[in-house]
Amino acid sequence: MKIVCSKSTLLKGVNIVSKAVPTRTTMAILECILIDASTDEIKLIANDMELGIETKIEGDIVERGIIALDAKIFSEMVRKLPDEDVSIESDSSFKTIISCGKAKFNLIGKPGDDFSYLPYIEKNTSIVLSQFTLKEVIRQTIFSVGFNDNNKIMTGELFEIDGNILKVVGLDGHRISIRNIEMKNSYENKKVIVPGKTLNEISKIISGNADEDVIISMTDNHIVFEFDNTVVVSRLIEGDYFKVDQMLTSDYTTKVRINKKDLLECIDRSTLLVKEGDKKPIVMEVKDNSVELRINSTIGSMREEIDIEKEGNDITIGFNAKFYIDALRVIDEEEIDIYMMNPMAPCFIRDENNTYIYLILPVKIKENN
Amino acid sequence: MKIVCSKSTLLKGVNIVSKAVPTRTTMAILECILIDASTDEIKLIANDMELGIETKIEGDIVERGIIALDAKIFSEMVRKLPDEDVSIESDSSFKTIISCGKAKFNLIGKPGDDFSYLPYIEKNTSIVLSQFTLKEVIRQTIFSVGFNDNNKIMTGELFEIDGNILKVVGLDGHRISIRNIEMKNSYENKKVIVPGKTLNEISKIISGNADEDVIISMTDNHIVFEFDNTVVVSRLIEGDYFKVDQMLTSDYTTKVRINKKDLLECIDRSTLLVKEGDKKPIVMEVKDNSVELRINSTIGSMREEIDIEKEGNDITIGFNAKFYIDALRVIDEEEIDIYMMNPMAPCFIRDENNTYIYLILPVKIKENN
């Protein structure tokens, strides 16, 4: 095989597919990036058997062929090459010469035959989102996905298509994050659970440009993301997702309208007094025109008042600062509404149209003041 | 005690003195920042017994007094306060209230009596450098200071005043970095060994501005840096420094003039093939109009040629890539001169006036090609 392409093109491609190279594996071939120039196109491919990425790069194919190169060494090499044309040439014994300017590297590659290509997917249901929308919806929900592999379903996010609405849900045992996105077209109903890891990697690869689209196709076992010159295929998580709708309610006895930035900064300050691993809750006391936030720990105490508009009853409720911070950070609105029932019931941060719903479970408080 | 100052002023001061707060200590009082408002000035002080920093901040003293506050909590607190005036108030039981805007923190402080103030230093020899020059000379030498506490003297840098020249030297067992700085005035001769840690912290605090000066005073046991509103006092390392001049020579049999950027990038690429912990040398073969750099490791091999101007003999010499990279990164010249004697003798990178001298020991090479 012999191909020639610019360093920047190659680097961009290598950076994309590297996201699917496993950090630890017993199969040495999976630690490689496959360069497939066996047809008229140059493709770079990596696959950790859960997540596979293929991207096409511009370049000249001088001699057709295939070679697999150690991903870590190859990608660091490309990164450090001078900004010129790169030639990659391999012979029948997989000896590979990478030359660029006056620099010449020799590496031993592996045959492509052992490599796991991306599975062929029969695409039935496909939706279209802008790269911006996909990147945003991942950012706005992914933090609440559970890490614990004991409950595999929690480590994924629900992608549910209902007509022209895409609903994305992430949850762990303490909170639920929901985003409803209106799409340009209506599609057949479909529900899948996408691994959190896949979504994390996708959001690093896509540009976030509102003018560029991603085509997302789902089958019973796979989800496929197609954008620019890249295809990402991921296995889905098997099983039924939690019945989230049953956990939601629009009833409330207290509604608080508050400035998001003020609340976020105040809660952020309170975390100073919470030692790591300590589950000390912050206390929110809703009064007529203000809410007082306070915390009392072994380190010290803090209290701060923020002006609010209130509807309904006074309430004193405790919560884990981190869960509030995570949710507030991804809400773009300046003013938000918090809905509460009682100190034991979940509280909801949501807008009127339910484009976002953040459910946070309260923490029981024992105050001595 | 009660003081009021702006958040930004307080934060700047806290950031400066924090550099002298020890990360681990058995004396809890050393983990504090002392706020000393017992006179007409507000001083912040921290001291780990090796390195002490005192800085004055602008503000109003409502009630004179002294309080010591846990450095970590206090500095994080200040960082997260809103951008308004901060009031710090402590009572006779060391209960401290920090308020800013609507936020109010309570902390328990410590009495200042136990705190170690900075030692009083009788200043004899004082020199003046710009903050820029001091910051630069530290950057250009500090990397070659040894880490091994078994040889305490190696963990420091020599500061030697000889007339109007300040010579700064750092070395470990494999290399020596020397910078000679011409000062505006001549001073009495003096030699001290300054701890590397002190220099690292100083270079983080000073602005690097060429128009602002640092006054450096040296006694037999201490070095004092005075700049802006800050005083830094550090213990010196006791003992006699290595006789560096005996290790230098201006003899050579090969002189190579080479583009610094080309050489640096080439050596940087070669490090790809060196596994961590592996001492695989890079081989430099000096020919008539070019130098070939090559490396052969278990990962693969690389070779690259760079154009040079040569004086003297051909030579093939091996060296540790990291030592060359460290030195080349801090040399500002576009073209540099490398002086060599034979494959076993140290090589020198230096300019004509010896404003900088980087001595690097070669590594023995066994090549099979």
Side-chain angles (χ1 to χ4, degrees):
Chain A
M1 186 199 76
K2 183 172 182 184
I3 61 165
V4 177
C5 59
S6 79
K7 181 225 164 160
S8 58
T9 309
L10 183 61
L11 181 58
K12 201 177 151 201
V14 165
N15 282 342
I16 290 173
V17 298
S18 289
K19 304 286 187 292
V21 176
T23 41
R24 278 183 224 169
T25 171
T26 48
M27 293 169 69
I29 188 74
L30 296 186
E31 289 172 351
C32 290
I33 290 174
L34 186 79
I35 305 175
D36 180 347
S38 60
T39 62
D40 283 342
E41 297 174 325
I42 307 176
K43 291 183 211 159
L44 303 179
I45 310 170
N47 189 356
D48 72 1
M49 308 304 280
E50 290 281 328
L51 177 67
I53 306 180
E54 179 184 299
T55 193
K56 282 179 212 151
I57 60 170
E58 294 278 326
D60 292 330
I61 301 172
V62 181
E63 192 196 327
R64 289 188 178 187
I66 295 179
I67 188 80
L69 297 173
D70 182 277
K72 205 166 153 236
I73 296 165
F74 181 57
S75 62
E76 280 181 25
M77 202 170 276
V78 174
R79 197 162 300 129
K80 291 198 171 177
L81 287 176
D83 219 350
E84 296 178 40
D85 275 359
V86 183
S87 139
I88 304 173
E89 187 172 2
S90 61
D91 65 15
S92 55
S93 57
F94 314 113
K95 228 187 103 175
T96 307
I97 301 169
I98 299 162
S99 27
C100 183
K102 286 184 173 175
K104 204 173 231 181
F105 284 98
N106 284 293
L107 273 186
I108 300 298
K110 288 192 174 68
D113 321 350
D114 305 342
F115 197 84
S116 298
Y117 277 80
L118 266 52
Y120 174 74
I121 307 292
E122 185 96 35
K123 289 159 201 160
N124 299 311
T125 316
S126 292
I127 63 169
V128 179
L129 292 182
S130 77
Q131 294 197 19
F132 173 77
T133 304
L134 179 61
K135 198 169 175 132
E136 278 294 284
V137 76
I138 294 172
R139 181 179 73 90
Q140 289 160 340
T141 52
I142 197 75
F143 57 84
S144 61
V145 163
F147 284 108
N148 193 334
D149 259 351
N150 291 339
N151 196 333
K152 188 85 182 162
I153 288 179
M154 267 193 198
T155 66
E157 289 205 337
L158 177 72
F159 271 53
E160 180 176 354
I161 303 163
D162 184 359
N164 69 334
I165 299 294
L166 170 69
K167 177 173 175 172
V168 176
V169 183
L171 61 78
D172 56 20
H174 308 281
R175 51 183 166 171
I176 308 176
S177 302
I178 303 174
R179 286 273 167 170
N180 287 300
I181 296 163
E182 202 172 319
M183 297 181 287
K184 280 181 208 142
N185 302 307
S186 284
Y187 302 94
E188 205 183 312
N189 290 5
K190 182 90 189 166
K191 268 187 190 182
V192 298
I193 309 173
V194 190
K197 183 182 177 297
T198 296
L199 296 172
N200 266 324
E201 301 302 350
I202 277 283
S203 81
K204 286 180 208 157
I205 303 174
I206 55 178
S207 67
N209 195 320
D211 298 331
E212 292 173 63
D213 284 341
V214 185
I215 302 167
I216 307 175
S217 312
M218 301 163 216
T219 68
D220 288 343
N221 299 311
H222 289 95
I223 186 164
V224 184
F225 299 86
E226 290 169 279
F227 51 94
D228 307 333
N229 296 309
T230 303
V231 181
V232 179
V233 179
S234 167
R235 278 182 194 272
L236 294 171
I237 296 175
E238 283 174 44
D240 288 324
Y241 200 72
F242 307 92
K243 296 200 165 42
V244 172
D245 288 341
Q246 297 177 2
M247 307 175 202
L248 305 180
T249 167
S250 52
D251 290 350
Y252 64 89
T253 52
T254 308
K255 177 182 170 186
V256 169
R257 167 152 282 238
I258 191 166
N259 179 284
K260 193 207 77 169
K261 188 161 168 280
D262 289 349
L263 180 60
L264 178 57
E265 288 181 354
C266 171
I267 298 176
D268 190 35
R269 275 193 281 279
S270 78
T271 58
L272 287 170
L273 301 178
V274 186
K275 275 196 189 150
E276 215 162 323
D278 187 2
K279 295 259 168 63
K280 197 80 195 172
I282 182 163
V283 178
M284 188 189 252
E285 184 176 344
V286 179
K287 292 176 280 192
D288 264 348
N289 300 312
S290 71
V291 58
E292 179 177 282
L293 286 126
R294 56 177 183 261
I295 187 163
N296 231 318
S297 80
T298 49
I299 301 171
S301 65
M302 180 195 127
R303 61 180 61 228
E304 184 166 349
E305 279 197 4
I306 303 172
D307 294 337
I308 57 165
E309 282 171 43
K310 192 189 76 167
E311 225 179 79
N313 306 335
D314 288 357
I315 184 173
T316 300
I317 188 168
F319 58 83
N320 181 316
K322 184 186 176 331
F323 296 161
Y324 253 84
I325 291 174
D326 284 346
L328 294 176
R329 278 205 181 128
V330 299
I331 297 176
D332 293 328
E333 275 73 6
E334 260 183 57
E335 302 280 323
I336 56 163
D337 295 320
I338 306 174
Y339 298 84
M340 289 163 278
M341 282 287 277
N342 64 59
M344 311 296 280
C347 77
F348 293 89
I349 309 173
R350 58 177 163 81
D351 63 354
E352 276 186 24
N353 307 321
N354 286 345
T355 56
Y356 64 82
I357 306 174
Y358 292 94
L359 176 159
I360 298 171
L361 287 185
V363 179
K364 214 170 150 186
I365 43 176
K366 278 178 281 181
E367 279 197 307
N368 310 320
N369 47 348
Chain B
M1 185 199 77
K2 184 171 181 184
I3 61 165
V4 178
C5 58
S6 79
K7 182 223 165 164
S8 57
T9 308
L10 182 61
L11 181 58
K12 201 177 150 203
V14 165
N15 282 342
I16 290 174
V17 298
S18 289
K19 304 288 187 291
V21 176
T23 42
R24 279 184 223 167
T25 170
T26 47
M27 292 170 68
I29 188 74
L30 297 186
E31 289 173 351
C32 291
I33 290 174
L34 186 78
I35 305 175
D36 180 347
S38 60
T39 62
D40 283 342
E41 298 174 324
I42 306 175
K43 291 183 211 159
L44 303 179
I45 309 169
N47 188 357
D48 72 2
M49 308 305 279
E50 291 281 329
L51 179 68
I53 306 180
E54 178 184 301
T55 193
K56 283 179 211 152
I57 59 170
E58 294 279 325
D60 292 330
I61 302 172
V62 183
E63 191 197 326
R64 289 189 177 186
I66 294 179
I67 188 80
L69 298 173
D70 182 277
K72 204 166 154 239
I73 296 166
F74 181 57
S75 62
E76 281 180 25
M77 202 170 274
V78 174
R79 197 161 300 129
K80 291 198 172 176
L81 288 176
D83 218 350
E84 296 178 40
D85 274 358
V86 183
S87 139
I88 304 174
E89 188 173 0
S90 61
D91 64 15
S92 56
S93 58
F94 315 112
K95 228 187 102 177
T96 306
I97 300 169
I98 298 162
S99 27
C100 184
K102 284 183 174 176
K104 204 173 230 181
F105 283 98
N106 283 294
L107 273 185
I108 300 297
K110 288 193 174 68
D113 322 350
D114 304 343
F115 197 84
S116 299
Y117 277 81
L118 266 51
Y120 173 74
I121 308 291
E122 186 96 33
K123 289 161 202 160
N124 300 311
T125 316
S126 292
I127 61 170
V128 179
L129 291 182
S130 77
Q131 295 198 18
F132 172 78
T133 303
L134 179 60
K135 199 170 175 130
E136 278 294 284
V137 76
I138 295 172
R139 181 179 73 89
Q140 289 160 342
T141 52
I142 197 76
F143 57 85
S144 62
V145 163
F147 285 107
N148 194 335
D149 261 351
N150 291 340
N151 196 335
K152 188 83 182 163
I153 288 179
M154 267 194 198
T155 65
E157 289 204 336
L158 177 73
F159 271 54
E160 181 176 355
I161 304 163
D162 185 358
N164 69 333
I165 299 294
L166 171 69
K167 177 174 176 172
V168 177
V169 183
L171 62 78
D172 56 20
H174 308 282
R175 52 182 165 170
I176 307 176
S177 302
I178 303 174
R179 287 272 168 173
N180 288 301
I181 296 162
E182 202 172 319
M183 297 182 287
K184 279 181 212 144
N185 302 307
S186 283
Y187 302 94
E188 205 182 313
N189 290 5
K190 182 93 189 166
K191 266 187 191 183
V192 299
I193 309 172
V194 190
K197 183 181 177 298
T198 295
L199 296 172
N200 266 324
E201 301 302 349
I202 278 282
S203 81
K204 286 180 208 155
I205 302 174
I206 54 178
S207 68
N209 196 321
D211 298 331
E212 291 172 63
D213 284 340
V214 185
I215 302 167
I216 306 176
S217 312
M218 301 163 215
T219 69
D220 288 343
N221 298 311
H222 289 94
I223 186 165
V224 184
F225 300 85
E226 290 168 279
F227 51 94
D228 307 334
N229 296 310
T230 303
V231 180
V232 179
V233 178
S234 166
R235 276 183 197 274
L236 294 171
I237 296 176
E238 283 173 44
D240 287 323
Y241 200 71
F242 307 92
K243 298 205 163 37
V244 172
D245 288 339
Q246 296 178 1
M247 308 175 202
L248 306 180
T249 168
S250 53
D251 290 348
Y252 63 90
T253 53
T254 309
K255 177 182 170 186
V256 168
R257 167 152 282 238
I258 191 165
N259 180 283
K260 193 207 78 171
K261 188 161 167 280
D262 289 349
L263 180 61
L264 178 56
E265 288 180 354
C266 171
I267 298 177
D268 190 35
R269 278 193 281 280
S270 77
T271 58
L272 288 171
L273 301 178
V274 185
K275 275 195 189 150
E276 216 162 323
D278 187 2
K279 294 259 168 68
K280 197 81 193 169
I282 183 163
V283 177
M284 187 188 254
E285 184 177 345
V286 178
K287 290 177 282 191
D288 263 348
N289 299 312
S290 71
V291 58
E292 179 178 281
L293 287 126
R294 57 178 184 261
I295 187 162
N296 230 319
S297 79
T298 49
I299 301 172
S301 65
M302 180 194 127
R303 60 179 63 226
E304 182 165 350
E305 279 198 4
I306 304 173
D307 295 338
I308 57 165
E309 281 170 44
K310 191 190 76 166
E311 225 178 79
N313 305 334
D314 289 357
I315 184 173
T316 301
I317 188 169
F319 56 84
N320 180 316
K322 183 184 176 333
F323 296 159
Y324 254 83
I325 291 174
D326 283 347
L328 294 176
R329 279 205 180 127
V330 299
I331 297 176
D332 293 329
E333 275 73 6
E334 260 182 56
E335 303 280 325
I336 56 163
D337 294 320
I338 306 175
Y339 298 84
M340 288 164 279
M341 281 287 277
N342 65 59
M344 311 296 280
C347 77
F348 292 89
I349 309 172
R350 57 177 163 83
D351 63 355
E352 278 187 22
N353 307 320
N354 285 345
T355 57
Y356 63 82
I357 305 174
Y358 292 94
L359 176 159
I360 298 172
L361 288 185
V363 180
K364 214 172 150 183
I365 43 175
K366 277 177 280 181
E367 280 197 305
N368 309 320
N369 46 348

